[in-house]
């Protein structure tokens, strides 16, 4: 069978909507279109019913005891903003200190930076070379002013899975709330808010084959009961935690996506791990001077992040023009700095410029993996023939010993 | 990743004059500019006659598509020029020819620097030859 181009391997950025999810959503655009907050007629009741089923499906995926612990949002960025700002504001008389870590998503880091400008204090923990936080470092950072720890479940660039349970346990022992940005991990690896001692968790629909524009914040209601100050005011929806008319179609799709993810988790992990391992073997077996970024042992199934020494990431992406991947190279961003995630893990700047992230997902096939591996090998070889650094390295010159003139 | 002009894509896919000259050759000037930590390194080599005419050029570049295209382009432009003429090539001319977007202007700056560095290296060698 001929391979269909382009090939999508950027499933950390977003995922396509699963056809089963789309099918579940369709009636809610035109037939069951009511406002879930309309209490006076059947249109509203049916919409509300659908929303509550969605709540149960999301709650079930993460092991929440009650669907009432799910607060709908527009996405995970909003959920994270609500979690961090909402807790900081509500508990401001208890303390003004928050703990997070350096490879968090910008939704967390930029929210923390804003809080710092407002007078809060934030500790940004270091990670090890694999991108993991030491739970004991969390313990050591907790002070009598600490109100919240925010550490993600899995990283969006390198796929590193954090020791969430150990971090959660420390937080519980210390009596501080634990917020976990579970966007990249939920539905991909086992995650249970009770077993992992999580008090707040951010989730997104479009990272697990649901639609864009819908997310949720898990807010624990019992032991401890977490309180939040709402960040969006209005009609008092979501028990006052998040006003705004609910995105019923989105919620139906998100719920269905969570159900599919929960029921198929073990099988899908196995299948996508096998695809990723095949891609990794196909590339590492045929090229030298490669570096795996992240953790071989603790990573989400679909992630493969590789630095192709002496080949700049954007140039490689240009060569892989029919393959959708992403790079930690500076050239892919508005700034000239390479990936802060790789830098925080101790990856040198020159290697960070050569990194490519492959994100495999539910709809990738072995044929696609083989095609991509072949193409990557061919193009890296071609670009290395063009690279003065590769030539120097092959001549035995230590690139780091050269006095490089001029910066960017 | 910015959208590339056709000329950038052409130079990227069919780079001209890729390769290496013997850097010990007294008639070869080598310019190595940029830094790996910045994501761009260009090496431009010019083969220059004793009369100061650029007879041939080679490059190798580590960098994005625009950096590769900028260096490929200048290898074409410098051939047949005197070193003084080659020194007149500016980054604006390179950026214009390749229709580089603002975030890629540094690639053309690097290519201009590479020409100057290669000529300076040649002149240093020539001076050493005369004094030696």
């Amino acid at each position: 069978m001929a391979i269909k181009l382009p090939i999508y391997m950027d499933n950390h950025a977003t995922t396509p909507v699963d056809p089963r999810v789309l099918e579940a959503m369709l009636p809610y655009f035109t037939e069951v279109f009511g406002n879930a907050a309309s209490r006076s007629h059947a249109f509203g009741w049916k919409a509300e019913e659908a929303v509550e089923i969605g709540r149960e499906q999301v709650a079930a995926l993460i092991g929440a005891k009650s669907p009432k612990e799910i607060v709908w949002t527009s996405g995970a960025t909003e959920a994270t903003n609500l979690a961090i700002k909402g807790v900081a504001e509500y508990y401001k008389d208890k303390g003004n200190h928050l703990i997070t870590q350096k490879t968090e998503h910008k939704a967390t880091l930029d929210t923390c930076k804003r809080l710092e400008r407002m007078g809060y204090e934030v500790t940004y923990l270091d990670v090890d070379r694999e991108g993991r936080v030491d739970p004991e470092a969390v313990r050591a950072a907790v002070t009598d002013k600490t109100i919240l720890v925010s550490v993600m479940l899995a990283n969006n660039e390198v796929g590193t899975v954090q020791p969430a349970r150990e971090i959660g346990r420390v937080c519980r022992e210390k009596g501080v709330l634990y917020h976990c940005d579970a966007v990249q991990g939920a539905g991909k690896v086992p995650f249970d808010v009770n077993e992992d001692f999580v008090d707040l968790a951010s989730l997104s629909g479009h990272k697990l084959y649901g639609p864009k524009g819908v997310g949720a914040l898990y807010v624990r209601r019992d032991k401890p009961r977490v309180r939040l100050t709402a960040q969006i005011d209005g009609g008092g929806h979501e028990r006052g935690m998040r006003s705004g008319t609910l995105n019923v179609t989105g919620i139906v799709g998100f719920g269905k996506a969570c159900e599919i993810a929960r029921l198929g988790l073990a099988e899908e992990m196995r299948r996508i791990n096998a695809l990723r391992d095949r891609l990794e073997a196909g590339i590492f077996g045929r090229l030298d001077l490669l570096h795996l970024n992240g953790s071989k042992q603790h990573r989400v199934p679909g992630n493969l992040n590789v630095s192709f020494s002496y080949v700049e990431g954007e140039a490689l992406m240009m060569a892989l023009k029919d393959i959708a991947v992403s790079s930690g190279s500076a050239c892919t961003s508005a700034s000239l700095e390479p990936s802060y995630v790789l830098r925080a893990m101790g990856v040198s700047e020159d290697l960070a410029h050569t990194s490519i992230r492959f994100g495999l997902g539910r709809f990738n096939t072995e044929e696609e993996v083989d095609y991509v591996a072949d193409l990557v090998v061919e193009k890296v070889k071609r670009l290395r023939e063009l690279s003065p650094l590769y030539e120097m390295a092959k001549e035995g010159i230590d690139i780091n010993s050269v006095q490089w003139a001029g910066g960017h | 990743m910015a959208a590339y002009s056709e000329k950038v894509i052409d130079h990227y896919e069919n780079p001209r004059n890729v390769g290496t000259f013997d850097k010990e050759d007294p008639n070869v000037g080598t310019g190595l500019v940029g830094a790996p930590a910045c994501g761009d390194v260009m090496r431009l080599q010019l083969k220059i006659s004793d009369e100061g005419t650029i007879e041939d050029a080679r490059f190798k570049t580590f960098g994005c598509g625009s950096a590769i295209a900028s260096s490929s382009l200048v290898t074409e432009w410098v051939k047949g020029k005197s070193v003084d003429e080659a020194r007149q090539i500016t980054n604006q001319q390179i950026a214009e020819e390749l229709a580089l977007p603002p975030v890629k202007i540094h690639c053309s700056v690097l290519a201009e620097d590479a020409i100057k560095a290669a000529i300076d290296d040649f002149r240093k060698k020539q001076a050493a030859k005369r004094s030696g």
Side-chain angles (χ1 to χ4, degrees):
Chain A
M1 200 180 77
I3 209 133
K4 191 168 161 277
L5 298 175
I7 294 170
Y8 189 74
M9 280 199 187
D10 201 14
N11 284 282
H12 301 305
T14 192
T15 55
V17 169
D18 189 296
R20 294 166 286 180
V21 168
L22 177 65
E23 196 187 350
M25 290 170 72
L26 285 175
Y28 292 88
F29 284 103
T30 51
E31 293 162 37
V32 193
F33 60 83
N35 186 328
S38 294
R39 295 283 157 80
S40 55
H41 50 68
F43 294 87
W45 302 334
K46 281 192 176 167
E48 193 191 5
E49 200 181 297
V51 163
E52 294 314 315
I53 291 170
R55 228 186 273 283
E56 286 168 18
Q57 290 166 322
V58 174
L61 176 68
I62 60 171
K65 289 226 168 78
S66 164
K68 288 182 183 156
E69 297 180 307
I70 302 300
V71 175
W72 301 118
T73 65
S74 62
T77 291
E78 189 197 327
T80 295
N81 269 261
L82 174 57
I84 298 174
K85 290 176 185 167
V87 163
E89 194 174 337
Y90 190 89
Y91 294 95
K92 64 176 183 295
D93 294 333
K94 187 168 177 254
N96 69 339
H97 179 233
L98 297 88
I99 297 168
T100 186
Q101 58 91 14
K102 291 177 177 170
T103 69
E104 288 291 311
H105 190 270
K106 287 288 183 186
T108 296
L109 294 175
D110 286 358
T111 299
C112 287
K113 278 187 198 131
R114 182 180 292 272
L115 289 177
E116 282 183 291
R117 290 195 294 274
M118 291 165 66
Y120 289 87
E121 283 177 24
V122 181
T123 300
Y124 299 89
L125 296 175
D126 288 322
V127 293
D128 64 17
R129 292 197 72 85
E130 296 191 346
R132 296 189 104 211
V133 170
D134 178 359
E136 289 311 309
V138 176
R139 188 191 302 280
V142 173
T143 71
D144 57 355
K145 296 278 182 217
T146 308
I147 49 177
L148 183 73
V149 170
S150 183
V151 174
M152 66 200 337
L153 178 58
N155 181 266
N156 47 301
E157 287 190 32
V158 290
T160 298
V161 177
Q162 296 290 352
R165 184 164 305 172
E166 289 70 25
I167 292 168
R169 192 175 285 128
V170 167
C171 292
R172 196 57 60 82
E173 282 171 26
K174 288 286 189 177
V176 300
L177 297 176
Y178 176 30
H179 166 248
C180 181
D181 167 1
V183 168
Q184 296 288 344
K188 313 285 167 68
V189 293
F191 176 63
D192 184 301
V193 289
N194 289 305
E195 287 175 15
D196 295 339
F197 310 104
V198 170
D199 300 312
L200 299 120
S202 302
L203 301 163
S204 172
H206 74 101
K207 307 288 193 191
L208 37 74
Y209 312 96
K212 293 167 187 63
V214 63
L217 180 65
Y218 162 78
V219 185
R220 179 176 293 282
R221 277 167 67 90
D222 193 27
K223 294 179 195 166
R225 181 182 181 87
V226 178
R227 311 299 293 269
L228 288 175
T229 302
Q231 301 297 305
I232 295 177
D233 297 311
H237 308 74
E238 298 300 277
R239 294 180 311 287
M241 282 193 263
R242 199 276 191 179
S243 289
T245 296
L246 292 179
N247 172 5
V248 178
T249 41
I251 288 166
V252 168
F254 183 16
K256 183 69 184 174
C258 287
E259 184 186 81
I260 294 169
R262 178 173 60 86
L263 296 175
L265 183 67
E267 193 277 327
E268 186 152 290
M269 278 183 73
R270 222 173 6 251
R271 198 178 70 80
I272 296 177
N273 260 327
L275 285 177
R276 193 267 319 280
D277 291 348
R278 188 180 178 99
L279 181 62
E280 193 172 322
I283 293 171
F284 278 73
R286 289 182 283 169
L287 289 171
D288 61 352
L289 302 167
L290 304 182
H291 299 263
L292 180 74
N293 296 315
S295 170
K296 213 167 165 70
Q297 192 187 349
H298 304 283
R299 64 180 155 167
V300 290
N303 183 276
L304 177 64
N305 190 311
V306 183
S307 283
F308 295 91
S309 306
Y310 316 123
V311 175
E312 200 273 332
E314 186 182 338
L316 182 53
M317 286 203 299
M318 196 172 166
L320 305 174
K321 60 177 185 290
D322 291 320
I323 318 294
V325 292
S326 78
S327 169
S329 149
C331 288
T332 61
S333 62
S335 77
L336 285 171
E337 297 304 316
S339 159
Y340 69 90
V341 170
L342 296 178
R343 297 292 292 128
M345 291 163 51
V347 176
S348 64
E349 274 187 276
D350 50 333
L351 272 181
H353 279 291
T354 70
S355 74
I356 295 283
R357 178 187 71 180
F358 302 88
L360 295 159
R362 182 175 291 165
F363 300 107
N364 288 118
T365 63
E366 279 191 0
E367 290 73 25
E368 288 178 337
V369 163
D370 292 346
Y371 181 89
V372 169
D374 288 349
L375 196 67
V376 166
V377 170
E378 177 198 328
K379 297 299 182 184
V380 168
K381 283 182 176 166
R382 183 181 95 86
L383 287 166
R384 280 181 171 172
E385 285 306 307
L386 274 180
S387 172
L389 301 178
Y390 187 69
E391 184 184 302
M392 290 161 80
K394 286 283 159 184
E395 284 171 0
I397 297 168
D398 177 8
I399 304 295
N400 297 319
S401 71
V402 176
Q403 279 288 333
W404 296 100
H408 47 239
Chain B
M1 187 157 58
Y4 290 103
S5 69
E6 275 176 35
K7 281 181 181 160
V8 169
I9 293 169
D10 179 43
H11 276 282
Y12 172 78
E13 286 181 351
N14 310 291
R16 329 301 197 243
N17 307 304
V18 175
T20 308
F21 290 141
D22 176 9
K23 61 179 184 292
E24 307 305 328
D25 182 335
N27 287 92
V28 168
T30 300
L32 184 65
V33 297
C38 304
D40 302 288
V41 175
M42 275 181 201
R43 188 190 64 197
L44 178 68
Q45 293 188 299
L46 305 176
K47 190 167 271 181
I48 303 169
S49 70
D50 290 333
E51 293 72 41
T53 302
I54 298 171
E55 292 172 333
D56 207 351
R58 290 284 184 274
F59 87 94
K60 280 198 178 187
T61 290
F62 163 81
C64 65
S66 300
I68 290 169
S70 297
S71 31
S72 170
L73 176 70
V74 300
T75 61
E76 286 193 315
W77 277 3
V78 296
K79 271 198 225 179
K81 282 193 166 66
S82 71
V83 290
D84 291 329
E85 287 166 341
R87 283 193 83 96
Q88 307 298 312
I89 294 172
T90 66
N91 83 288
Q92 286 96 329
Q93 292 167 330
I94 299 164
E96 230 165 82
E97 173 70 13
L98 295 173
L100 296 182
V103 295
K104 297 295 182 190
I105 296 301
H106 70 277
C107 299
S108 63
V109 174
L110 215 52
E112 181 191 319
D113 291 349
I115 300 172
K116 295 193 165 122
I119 293 171
D120 289 348
D121 180 58
F122 167 74
R123 289 202 164 137
K124 215 183 291 168
K125 279 183 180 170
Q126 295 289 304
K129 198 163 79 177
R130 278 194 294 273
S131 64

